[in-house]
Amino acid sequence: GENVEQHPSTLSVQEGDSAVIKCTYSDSASNYFPWYKQELGKGPQLIIDIRSNVGEKKDQRIAVTLNKTAKHFSLHITETQPEDSAVYFCAASTGGSGNTGKLIFGQGTTLQVKP
Amino acid sequence: DAGITQSPRYKITETGRQVTLMCHQTWSHSYMFWYRQDLGHGLRLIYYSAAADITDKGEVSDGYVVSRSKTENFPLTLESATRSQTSVYFCASSATQGAGGYTFGSGTRLTVV
């Protein structure tokens, strides 16, 4: 089955710097790659996603890139702010007809943005 | 209120007891999921359901049972709780089959003593 590896497990940056979190996946049939942000005491929330027919997607200060050949994808946060501090999860699924599209998650990255 | 709600928010139980965690969603989403979150392991899938009366095991299903008699409810039961089942449990739902995001509940923190 699918396996998703996420690195680093912790990341500390200064406010205003960029942060990058990387994930690799094992199943070449995976075609959907969301990223979730989890704040303390809350459930994960979807912040951005990308499908396998796209190489990059941006939404204001966050962007995700996908390299299907290498089977890895990354989350980029620019101009980090203290409110970006949270745990971030990547995930992968093989969506489509006949498949429940269950997500397999990485281990999570704790991002700390220092003021 | 619209959304996905989990209850209880916190639960302490004794080893060997049966305990049920509740999940309710108001969107009539077809797909529902149970994950557990443990440090160093991220979110691991326990069970999922594609529709009422259709459920299937995830990667860590041993010791857990689910049912889905109604679309909006997806309870998770620990038949005989063990200390290794101490965790934070998250329920999620999704409208789409495959490439679509999940909406998560706020979680239930379960401690087995």
Side-chain angles (χ1 to χ4, degrees):
Chain A
E2 176 67 280
N3 184 53
V4 178
E5 296 288 332
Q6 182 172 345
H7 299 281
S9 57
T10 59
L11 179 60
S12 181
V13 300
Q14 286 296 132
E15 182 177 358
D17 287 351
S18 295
V20 180
I21 302 170
K22 299 181 179 181
C23 289
T24 60
Y25 61 98
S26 61
D27 189 345
S28 57
S30 290
N31 57 11
Y32 176 65
F33 307 93
W35 286 89
Y36 287 81
K37 175 183 180 182
Q38 184 181 27
E39 297 176 338
L40 198 61
K42 297 183 179 180
Q45 279 196 304
L46 179 69
I47 56 172
I48 194 168
D49 57 12
I50 191 168
R51 288 166 172 75
S52 57
N53 58 348
V54 175
E56 183 176 2
K57 184 177 179 180
K58 289 183 179 180
D59 183 3
Q60 300 182 339
R61 295 186 297 107
I62 61 173
V64 57
T65 59
L66 172 65
N67 183 325
K68 287 172 54 181
T69 302
K71 290 191 282 189
H72 67 71
F73 56 111
S74 301
L75 178 71
H76 304 252
I77 306 174
T78 58
E79 301 173 16
T80 53
Q81 301 168 2
E83 52 264 38
D84 294 329
S85 296
V87 179
Y88 292 81
F89 291 99
C90 64
S93 80
T94 53
S97 178
N99 193 303
T100 59
K102 55 187 185 292
L103 290 174
I104 303 301
F105 286 84
Q107 295 86 349
T109 296
T110 301
L111 173 64
Q112 181 186 30
V113 180
K114 299 177 180 177
Chain B
D1 291 336
I4 182 166
T5 55
Q6 292 184 237
S7 62
R9 192 81 169 89
Y10 302 93
K11 176 73 176 178
I12 300 174
T13 191
E14 294 178 339
T15 302
R17 290 196 179 268
Q18 183 182 83
V19 61
T20 296
L21 310 183
M22 305 301 293
C23 180
H24 175 78
Q25 52 105 352
T26 59
W27 298 296
S28 298
H29 284 171
S30 293
Y31 301 93
M32 296 188 75
F33 309 85
W34 274 105
Y35 285 85
R36 60 178 289 176
Q37 182 176 18
D38 304 288
L39 196 63
H41 292 280
L43 293 156
R44 291 183 290 176
L45 182 66
I46 305 171
Y47 266 98
Y48 61 99
S49 170
D53 297 323
I54 301 176
T55 63
D56 207 349
K57 295 179 179 180
E59 58 183 313
V60 290
S61 61
D62 287 348
Y64 301 95
V65 174
V66 293
S67 63
R68 192 148 178 227
S69 57
K70 293 183 178 181
T71 299
E72 61 267 30
N73 296 324
F74 191 37
L76 175 73
T77 297
L78 287 66
E79 296 180 293
S80 178
T82 65
R83 289 197 178 90
S84 65
Q85 293 178 310
T86 293
S87 187
V88 181
Y89 291 85
F90 287 100
C91 177
S93 71
S94 174
T96 58
Q97 182 182 38
Y102 293 2
T103 302
F104 281 86
S106 298
T108 294
R109 181 175 292 276
L110 176 68
T111 302
V112 183
V113 298

